[in-house]
C-alpha cells in the first residue's frame, strides 16, 4: 500500500528530474541555492535475486517528490527566481495573499470574528518556519499540492479546528457545529491523505477523522 501511495502522488527522483529536464548536477545546484523543496519521502529497498547462477542482493535508496512541485519549478523558471531571497519572497507573497483571500471570504471572516486570536500566530516566525519546512519537503507530505497558498490554508484550517474543539461537543450550538463542519471540510480539501502508516499520527486523523466522529457524526445521524 505504501508504494502504491508513493507512486500515485509522487515522482521518483530520476523521473522527476527527467520531467524537469535537469541533470543530477543541476538538481544539486537548486538544492544548494535553497530554491526547490527536497524529497518528501526516502524509501530504502533491499532485494534478492536468485537464479541457477547464484544470488544477487541489492540495496537502493529512492527519493520521492510531490508531483505538484513541478509547478513550483515552472514558476522559478518563469519569474527568473534563481536565488533563495527571490524564491522566498515569492513564496511569502503567495502565502500572505492566501491569508488575505481567506479573510475576505465567507468562512474566513466568520472564523476570524469568532476566534480573532488564531491569526495572531501567523507572524514572521511562523513564516520563517513555513519556508524552512517547504524546503525540507515537509509540505509535500501534508498538503495536496505543496503550493504556498495551500500551505497557508492547511495551517490555518488546523489551527481553527484545534481552537474550536477546545469546547466539548455537548456545548456546541447548531450554528457552531455548522461552522465546524464547514471548517473541517475546508481542511479536508487542502490536506493530503498521508501515507497509510502516517495517518494515525497526522493532523488528518486529529482534525478531520476524529473531529467528524466525535462532533459531527451524532448530529448527522440524529
Amino acid at each position: 500500500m505504501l508504494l502504491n501511495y508513493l507512486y500515485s502522488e509522487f515522482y521518483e527522483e530520476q523521473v522527476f528530474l527527467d520531467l524537469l529536464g535537469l541533470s543530477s548536477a543541476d538538481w544539486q545546484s537548486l538544492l544548494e541555492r535553497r530554491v526547490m523543496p527536497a524529497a518528501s519521502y526516502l524509501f530504502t529497498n533491499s532485494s534478492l535475486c536468485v537464479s541457477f547462477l547464484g544470488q544477487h542482493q541489492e540495496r537502493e535508496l529512492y527519493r520521492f517528490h510531490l508531483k505538484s512541485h513541478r509547478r513550483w519549478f515552472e514558476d522559478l523558471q518563469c519569474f527568473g527566481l534563481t536565488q533563495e531571497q527571490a524564491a522566498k519572497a515569492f513564496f511569502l507573497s503567495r502565502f500572505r495573499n492566501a491569508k488575505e483571500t481567506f479573510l475576505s471570504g465567507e468562512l474566513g471572516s466568520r472564523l476570524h470574528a469568532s476566534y480573532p486570536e488564531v491569526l495572531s500566530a501567523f507572524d514572521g516566525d511562523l513564516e520563517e518556519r513555513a519556508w524552512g519546512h517547504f524546503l525540507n519537503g515537509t509540505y509535500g507530505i501534508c498538503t495536496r499540492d505543496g503550493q504556498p497558498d495551500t500551505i497557508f490554508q492547511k495551517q490555518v484550517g488546523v489551527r481553527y479546528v484545534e481552537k474550536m474543539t477546545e469546547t466539548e461537543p455537548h456545548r456546541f450550538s447548531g450554528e457552531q457545529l455548522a461552522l465546524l463542519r464547514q471548517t473541517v471540510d475546508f481542511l479536508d480539501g487542502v490536506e493530503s491523505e498521508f501515507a497509510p502508516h502516517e495517518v494515525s499520527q497526522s493532523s488528518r486523523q486529529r482534525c478531520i477523522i476524529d473531529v467528524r466522529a466525535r462532533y459531527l457524526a451524532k448530529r448527522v445521524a440524529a
Side-chain angles (χ1 to χ4, degrees), residues 2-222:
L2 174 57
L3 279 176
N4 288 340
Y5 176 76
L6 292 177
Y7 279 107
S8 171
E9 304 296 328
F10 297 80
Y11 289 126
E12 190 277 321
E13 186 161 280
Q14 190 55 57
V15 174
F16 188 53
L17 297 191
D18 288 345
L19 287 170
L20 301 185
L22 298 174
S23 67
S24 296
D26 294 333
W27 177 246
Q28 190 59 39
S29 174
L30 291 170
L31 293 179
E32 289 173 356
R33 283 184 278 128
R34 292 173 55 84
V35 296
M36 276 296 291
S40 294
Y41 288 97
L42 304 182
F43 184 87
T44 301
N45 180 55
S46 296
S47 58
L48 177 65
C49 178
V50 180
S51 72
F52 79 95
L53 292 175
Q55 297 183 356
H56 174 71
Q57 191 163 12
E58 289 186 348
R59 183 178 176 86
E60 296 183 83
L61 175 64
Y62 298 90
R63 295 177 171 86
F64 286 90
H65 298 266
L66 186 65
K67 289 181 176 180
S68 297
H69 278 161
R70 183 179 181 180
R71 288 165 48 195
W72 176 259
F73 175 77
E74 290 168 350
D75 284 338
L76 295 183
Q77 298 296 102
C78 179
F79 297 111
L81 308 175
T82 61
Q83 300 299 324
E84 181 180 8
Q85 183 176 1
K88 180 180 178 182
F90 178 64
F91 175 94
L92 292 179
S93 174
R94 290 179 58 185
F95 188 90
R96 293 165 183 165
N97 285 342
K99 177 180 177 180
E100 295 304 315
T101 300
F102 178 78
L103 276 173
S104 66
E106 185 267 342
L107 176 62
S109 61
R110 289 178 63 199
L111 286 170
H112 185 53
S114 300
Y115 308 97
E117 67 276 22
V118 169
L119 282 179
S120 64
F122 286 78
D123 55 14
D125 287 341
L126 182 142
E127 291 180 348
E128 287 293 327
R129 294 194 301 273
W131 174 244
H133 289 313
F134 174 71
L135 288 179
N136 67 25
T138 297
Y139 290 118
I141 296 172
C142 61
T143 66
R144 290 194 182 274
D145 65 12
Q147 301 301 302
D149 327 66
T150 311
I151 291 169
F152 169 80
Q153 292 165 351
K154 185 266 182 184
Q155 289 188 353
V156 80
V158 166
R159 282 167 172 75
Y160 274 118
V161 170
E162 289 176 339
K163 185 64 180 178
M164 297 170 80
T165 53
E166 289 176 1
T167 301
E168 291 298 312
H170 68 275
R171 295 185 178 276
F172 271 65
S173 67
E175 183 179 353
Q176 288 171 320
L177 279 175
L179 182 59
L180 177 61
R181 182 178 294 109
Q182 191 177 356
T183 307
V184 170
D185 289 347
F186 169 83
L187 179 60
D188 193 11
V190 297
E191 185 158 286
S192 75
E193 298 297 326
F194 288 90
H197 68 282
E198 296 172 327
V199 175
S200 64
Q201 54 187 324
S202 70
S203 54
R204 168 164 290 277
Q205 181 73 49
R206 186 177 72 255
C207 295
I208 298 174
I209 299 171
D210 290 347
V211 172
R212 282 175 171 161
R214 187 175 181 220
Y215 285 79
L216 303 174
K218 291 181 180 179
R219 289 294 183 98
V220 170

